Amino acid sequence: MQQSIQLSVDAVVFGYEAGSISVLLIKRKYEPFKGEWAIPGGFVLENESLESAVERELKEETGITIDYLEQLYTFGNPNRDPRSRVVSVAYFGLVKPSAFKIFASTDAEEVQWFHIDELPKLSFDHEEILKKAIARLQAKITYEPIGFELLDTKFPFSDLEKLYTTLLGRAIDRRNFRKKILSLNILDQLDEKVSKGSGRPANLFKFNKKRYFKLKEEGIIFDI
Amino acid sequence: MQQSIQLSVDAVVFGYEAGSISVLLIKRKYEPFKGEWAIPGGFVLENESLESAVERELKEETGITIDYLEQLYTFGNPNRDPRSRVVSVAYFGLVKPSAFKIFASTDAEEVQWFHIDELPKLSFDHEEILKKAIARLQAKITYEPIGFELLDTKFPFSDLEKLYTTLLGRAIDRRNFRKKILSLNILDQLDEKVSKGSGRPANLFKFNKKRYFKLKEEGIIFDI
DNA sequence: CATTTTATGCGTGTTTTTTACGCTAAAATA
DNA sequence: TATTTTAGCGTAAAAAACACGCATAAAATG
């Protein structure tokens, strides 16, 4: 028995900057869908794990090294690729965009961050993949502290608050939100302040991942 | 570019009977791992969707038609199969065991339900897959009403309660649980009673899936 | 340099949800 | 018929979620 199914990986990478969520897309250099936008990804090599394949492709095509990566879903519709049967394992990644300089290479003619509400037409079934990834991001920030992967290591509380209002798509009470997050005891308050523009300078905070995992083991759950 | 990665599907199927959760396993008829227990599954055909492949393999190997099926995770470790590189998309299924007669055929020498705390040694990385499936089942019954897929269409409230205590692995207050579930308004109380053994006969209930989806659209969420 | 603007940060009362637990009802059993 | 067993209803206390007031600090404005 010998199939000729090809296996690929794709990565939906989210970033957050200046109050809006963006996703990293590439413009395809080759057929099919040459010149159109797509989620970065490519074929898995013979002796490579799926995660390694994702990391390699991202590095090759966009120059990005990922901070947070998890498997999203496997898309296996027989006709999703016009060339042949290609099954793709999609991943979901988060980065701090400020930390990386993106550049196109190999299969990518161009790389660009797109706001998730200003997306171009996408190749293959990538729209479906992206839709699923957005749903996952919105759901997951309410029960796992993954939002911190999108912020700088040190951040003022207002950044976190803004991230959540953006992702949840609704207003949240600033005072109650602060109380709730601080009561979880997973943030370290630093002795630094930032002043961006007018207004009172804000204290900087840092996510204490180690403490979070310890609390998680003890059964304390993150829940917004 | 031509890979020789093979693609398979596997299905972890859970059933519930007499107060305990079981999983459907097959004894392998051929090498590798001939004579050992494994999760049912097999290779995906060229023009078949992943879901169809799962359904076909389950039917072939065990005789079961699944009630509830969802994708679990894709396992792609390069050495998970001693023959060659095989990537497997694992699925998660639920059935009412009373509704089916299981029988072994094709690749299976034997089929059997195993209580999830009395499992045999498993082939490949199937232990890892099963572990993930159990975690998913336990997590998911708290935020989606999938428990009903394991019960008979008509069931007394105590069956539901017992299922939850079993799955959650802890006692729950009978009175508060009933109040909570009934207040969700997703159960129809029937005009039938069952009396099994001693004690006051219990009213039968039926899960109203249609109403649940309607409520879900309106934003009412199931949460135990 | 006083005043306005902008944003931080602490507190308090109210409503809603969760939790704990007492008690009655109906059938089998001894 | 008394006792045991399982079903089913109700009520009060505790905890969490929600709504909102207001003092404070620094920068911008005139």
Side-chain angles (χ1 to χ4, degrees):
Chain A
M1 129 70 105
Q2 186 66 28
Q3 297 166 326
S4 65
I5 298 178
Q6 302 292 299
L7 190 74
S8 70
V9 287
D10 287 305
V12 180
V13 177
F14 293 107
Y16 176 72
E17 220 164 15
S20 78
I21 299 286
S22 300
V23 64
L24 194 64
L25 299 178
I26 62 154
K27 188 182 264 182
R28 293 177 58 84
K29 202 186 244 171
Y30 308 110
E31 291 295 348
F33 301 106
K34 183 181 170 185
E36 295 187 33
W37 292 97
I39 294 164
F43 292 103
V44 177
L45 301 180
E46 209 62 48
N47 272 296
E48 177 184 51
S49 74
L50 302 176
E51 285 77 15
S52 306
V54 176
E55 281 161 14
R56 177 181 51 74
E57 289 283 352
L58 271 177
K59 192 79 198 163
E60 282 176 13
E61 293 183 340
T62 71
I64 263 194
T65 309
I66 213 83
D67 293 321
Y68 176 88
L69 189 71
E70 70 173 47
Q71 195 181 295
L72 176 65
Y73 198 79
T74 298
F75 295 82
N77 193 296
N79 302 309
R80 55 180 297 284
D81 192 310
R83 292 167 292 189
S84 65
R85 179 84 192 264
V86 179
V87 170
S88 184
V89 185
Y91 279 76
F92 166 93
L94 303 176
V95 290
K96 312 181 204 299
S98 60
F100 293 98
K101 186 87 204 133
I102 56 173
F103 56 87
S105 67
T106 64
D107 298 345
E109 188 183 305
E110 221 179 298
V111 189
Q112 200 184 305
W113 287 104
F114 283 86
H115 289 178
I116 58 168
D117 39 15
E118 296 167 9
L119 293 169
K121 195 182 163 297
L122 293 177
S123 321
F124 305 100
D125 55 355
H126 287 188
E127 194 167 323
E128 188 188 348
I129 299 179
L130 189 46
K131 210 171 155 185
K132 201 158 190 126
I134 292 171
R136 174 86 131 244
L137 175 60
Q138 290 181 327
K140 197 141 188 174
I141 52 150
T142 68
Y143 64 88
E144 293 267 8
I146 58 171
F148 302 108
E149 307 290 347
L150 291 166
L151 299 177
D152 287 328
T153 315
K154 300 170 180 185
F155 55 89
F157 214 91
S158 54
D159 276 13
L160 185 65
E161 187 202 322
K162 200 164 198 175
L163 172 64
Y164 271 84
T165 49
T166 305
L167 277 174
L168 298 176
R170 60 181 168 82
I172 47 180
D173 187 280
R174 197 162 41 81
R175 295 153 289 189
N176 291 334
F177 180 74
R178 170 182 261 259
K179 238 181 300 177
K180 194 161 190 175
I181 299 280
L182 289 181
S183 73
L184 291 172
N185 201 29
I186 55 175
L187 293 189
D188 290 338
Q189 181 161 352
L190 306 175
D191 275 337
E192 290 178 68
K193 291 185 194 294
V194 269
S195 173
K196 44 172 203 288
S198 73
R200 176 176 172 177
N203 226 296
L204 289 177
F205 289 86
K206 197 173 174 175
F207 174 51
N208 191 326
K209 202 180 268 190
K210 204 169 158 184
R211 176 132 28 89
Y212 168 67
F213 282 119
K214 204 175 153 216
L215 288 170
K216 195 180 177 183
E217 267 178 35
E218 292 168 11
I220 282 92
I221 52 163
F222 180 88
D223 177 49
I224 303 300
Chain B
M1 129 68 105
Q2 185 66 27
Q3 298 166 325
S4 65
I5 297 178
Q6 302 291 298
L7 189 74
S8 70
V9 287
D10 287 304
V12 180
V13 177
F14 292 107
Y16 176 72
E17 220 164 17
S20 78
I21 298 287
S22 300
V23 65
L24 194 64
L25 299 178
I26 62 155
K27 188 181 264 181
R28 291 178 59 84
K29 202 187 243 170
Y30 308 109
E31 291 294 349
F33 301 106
K34 183 182 169 185
E36 294 187 36
W37 292 97
I39 294 165
F43 292 102
V44 177
L45 300 180
E46 208 62 47
N47 272 297
E48 179 184 49
S49 73
L50 302 176
E51 285 76 15
S52 306
V54 176
E55 282 162 14
R56 177 181 52 73
E57 289 285 351
L58 271 177
K59 191 78 198 166
E60 282 175 14
E61 293 183 339
T62 71
I64 263 192
T65 310
I66 213 83
D67 293 322
Y68 177 88
L69 188 72
E70 69 173 47
Q71 195 180 297
L72 176 64
Y73 197 80
T74 297
F75 295 82
N77 193 296
N79 302 309
R80 55 181 297 283
D81 193 310
R83 291 167 293 189
S84 66
R85 178 84 193 265
V86 179
V87 170
S88 184
V89 185
Y91 278 76
F92 166 94
L94 303 175
V95 289
K96 312 179 202 301
S98 60
F100 294 98
K101 186 88 205 132
I102 55 172
F103 58 85
S105 68
T106 63
D107 299 344
E109 186 184 307
E110 221 177 298
V111 189
Q112 198 183 306
W113 287 104
F114 284 86
H115 288 178
I116 58 168
D117 40 15
E118 296 167 10
L119 294 170
K121 194 182 164 297
L122 294 178
S123 322
F124 305 99
D125 56 355
H126 287 189
E127 195 167 322
E128 188 188 346
I129 298 179
L130 190 46
K131 209 171 155 185
K132 199 153 193 131
I134 292 171
R136 174 86 131 243
L137 175 60
Q138 290 181 327
K140 196 140 190 177
I141 52 149
T142 69
Y143 63 89
E144 292 268 7
I146 58 171
F148 303 110
E149 307 290 348
L150 292 165
L151 299 176
D152 289 326
T153 315
K154 299 171 180 185
F155 57 88
F157 214 92
S158 54
D159 276 14
L160 185 66
E161 186 202 323
K162 200 166 199 173
L163 172 64
Y164 270 85
T165 49
T166 304
L167 277 175
L168 299 175
R170 59 181 169 83
I172 47 179
D173 187 278
R174 196 164 42 81
R175 297 153 289 190
N176 292 334
F177 180 73
R178 170 183 264 259
K179 240 182 301 178
K180 195 162 189 175
I181 298 281
L182 289 181
S183 73
L184 292 171
N185 202 29
I186 55 174
L187 293 188
D188 289 337
Q189 181 162 353
L190 306 177
D191 275 337
E192 289 178 69
K193 288 185 194 294
V194 269
S195 174
K196 45 173 204 286
S198 73
R200 177 174 170 176
N203 226 298
L204 289 178
F205 289 85
K206 198 173 175 176
F207 174 50
N208 192 326
K209 201 179 269 190
K210 204 169 158 183
R211 176 131 27 89
Y212 168 67
F213 282 118
K214 204 176 152 214
L215 288 169
K216 195 180 177 183
E217 267 178 36
E218 292 167 12
I220 282 91
I221 53 163
F222 180 89
D223 176 50
I224 302 300

